Amino acid sequence: MTTQTLSSVPPAAGTAGAGGRLPLLDVLRGAAILGTLMTNVWIFAAPGSEWGVLTGATGSPSFDSFPQAVESVLRLLANGKFLALLTVLFGVGLAIQYASAERRGQPWPGRYNRRALFLFFEGTVHFVLIFAWDVLMGYAVTALLVARLLNRSVTAQNRVMWWLGGLHVTVMLAATAFVLADSSDGGGEAVLDDGVRELYAHGSWGEQIVFRLENALALRMEPVLTFPLLVFLFLLGVRLFRAGAFGPDATGRRIRARLLVWGLGFGLPISVLSSVAGPELFLLDRYIGGPLTALGYLGLIGAIVDRVRRPGPLMNGLTSVGRTALSGYVLQNVLCMLAAYGLGLGLTERLGGDWHPWWVIALWTAVCAILMLGSSWWLRRFSHGPLEQVQRWALRR
């Protein structure tokens, strides 16, 4: 994602904390990056990996044994939640950039179009070389639209936000009804092809790249399916920022408290019930319960940060990851690819039996530690993350 959006962006005047920043935003970005990894790590660890998502090879929630229950709870807490939080924060970053351009009297979207197009290029490279379920490409397209909407009135922005939010819910409910009807008619489940399983277990990097390109339409369907949701969450991030939801004052705390109660109060029950009910309600869990719960997570993390008097290693680590979010997002997928696939350590095949899910949890923990320690070390020497710096260099030209 763009440096200004995922990492350091000068907040609007009068809203920042010490040093011209809103400290909570960095913590939230860091938590969103590591939480998104908690969703993706199960994809890397499943037979067929990226393609396995489309065939159900990543598995369904089960509480038949303690290991299965642990995996199901962790996946439930992460699935769609932190990705939605990351999307809201992208909208916040866009609002910050718009406010900055407005203060300077610069045209909008102006040069921002270049940033969004460069983000699309970054996402394309990430999709082809590393991970099929990339989010950057969808964010770039959404950003181009929302950037233009910011020149419209607040009333027009709210109208678009709520209309698209309603459209998204309608589409998800209709799609779920279709899935339920198909399953009741005896519709068969998709079967993971042995060749795909072999590709990720023993195939080369080049073969995986060719596979992604050959199946790009299927692998890119999520941002198309959820485009109304992306726009809704972007505009919601804009609205929350303008309302002062991320500030350290009483207004920010009041808004975050409401998000905590309403987000967890509605979102978690929807996710739990739809997840336990069966894979036919997957869309309700990920795309309706997930975004609602994400708002609760925002409020919960905010409440915890408000009570921290002296930041410790965990909060400092999350802050560093948040300030180098683009680099962290890409690096975590590279590390998981090298650990799980046959082109690297091949842990999915080697440890996929009795060691599951413990090795997956250990992988997530190890990658989180690497990101927090590595980003902290890097920021003591440089002002921006490595990929953020590349982006800044490219956009100056």
Side-chain angles (χ1 to χ4, degrees), residues 54-345:
L54 303 178
T55 62
T58 52
S60 301
S62 173
F63 297 88
D64 294 339
S65 67
F66 179 68
Q68 290 176 326
V70 170
E71 176 180 349
S72 297
V73 169
L74 291 176
R75 292 174 63 177
L76 172 66
L77 292 175
N79 184 31
K81 283 76 171 176
F82 290 99
L83 180 59
L85 177 59
L86 196 62
T87 309
V88 170
L89 294 174
F90 201 108
V92 173
L94 191 56
I96 290 173
Q97 292 178 73
Y98 175 80
S100 177
E102 191 175 44
R103 290 197 309 273
R104 294 186 174 97
Q106 297 172 343
W108 181 266
R111 293 173 61 86
Y112 181 78
N113 289 333
R114 292 182 59 202
R115 298 185 182 280
L117 292 174
F118 191 81
L119 177 64
F120 188 86
F121 167 76
E122 291 174 313
T124 302
V125 173
H126 181 246
F127 164 78
V128 173
L129 300 183
I130 302 171
F131 189 49
W133 297 97
D134 164 79
V135 302
L136 304 180
M137 298 169 70
Y139 282 5
V141 174
T142 307
L144 286 170
L145 171 63
V146 175
R148 284 159 177 75
L149 286 175
L150 295 187
N151 283 329
R152 307 288 298 275
S153 67
V154 173
T155 300
Q157 294 171 32
N158 289 339
R159 186 182 299 119
V160 171
M161 183 180 78
W162 291 115
W163 273 101
L164 288 181
L167 174 62
H168 169 73
V169 172
T170 301
V171 170
M172 291 300 107
L173 292 176
T176 299
F178 174 82
V179 172
L180 289 171
D182 184 61
S183 63
S184 65
D185 290 340
E189 295 183 357
V191 178
L192 179 63
D193 184 87
D194 289 339
V196 176
R197 187 190 302 265
E198 181 70 14
L199 171 67
Y200 288 98
H202 302 289
S204 68
W205 187 32
E207 290 172 331
Q208 291 178 11
I209 290 173
V210 171
F211 180 79
R212 292 190 196 103
L213 293 174
E214 290 177 343
N215 297 277
L217 290 179
L219 293 169
R220 290 286 76 207
M221 70 177 185
E222 183 176 52
V224 176
L225 178 68
T226 61
F227 185 72
L229 176 63
L230 292 177
V231 177
F232 173 85
L233 293 176
F234 267 54
L235 289 172
L236 180 60
V238 172
R239 184 168 178 171
L240 288 173
F241 173 75
R242 290 173 172 173
F246 304 96
D249 56 2
T251 298
R253 290 193 295 270
R254 182 173 64 252
I255 295 174
R256 294 193 293 272
R258 291 175 180 173
L259 292 175
L260 170 60
V261 172
W262 290 100
L264 296 185
F266 282 94
L268 267 185
I270 291 174
S271 285
V272 171
L273 292 175
S274 57
S275 180
V276 172
E280 294 82 7
L281 300 186
F282 170 82
L283 296 176
L284 298 186
D285 173 22
R286 183 171 175 84
Y287 300 121
I288 294 182
L292 288 172
T293 306
L295 298 179
Y297 285 178
L298 191 161
L300 177 61
I301 294 171
I304 294 173
V305 171
D306 288 339
R307 286 163 174 76
V308 172
R309 295 293 176 262
R310 180 177 298 176
L314 177 59
M315 186 169 171
N316 288 332
L318 289 174
T319 299
S320 296
V321 173
R323 291 180 58 193
T324 58
L326 172 60
S327 299
Y329 172 69
V330 174
L331 178 59
Q332 68 186 20
N333 292 328
V334 171
L335 293 175
C336 286
M337 177 181 71
L338 294 176
Y341 295 171
L343 59 86
L345 298 179

Side-chain angles (χ1 to χ4, degrees), residues 38-61:
M38 174 54 79
T39 298
N40 292 342
V41 71
W42 302 105
I43 299 176
F44 285 103
S49 186
E50 302 161 321
W51 192 256
V53 175
L54 303 178
T55 62
T58 52
S60 301

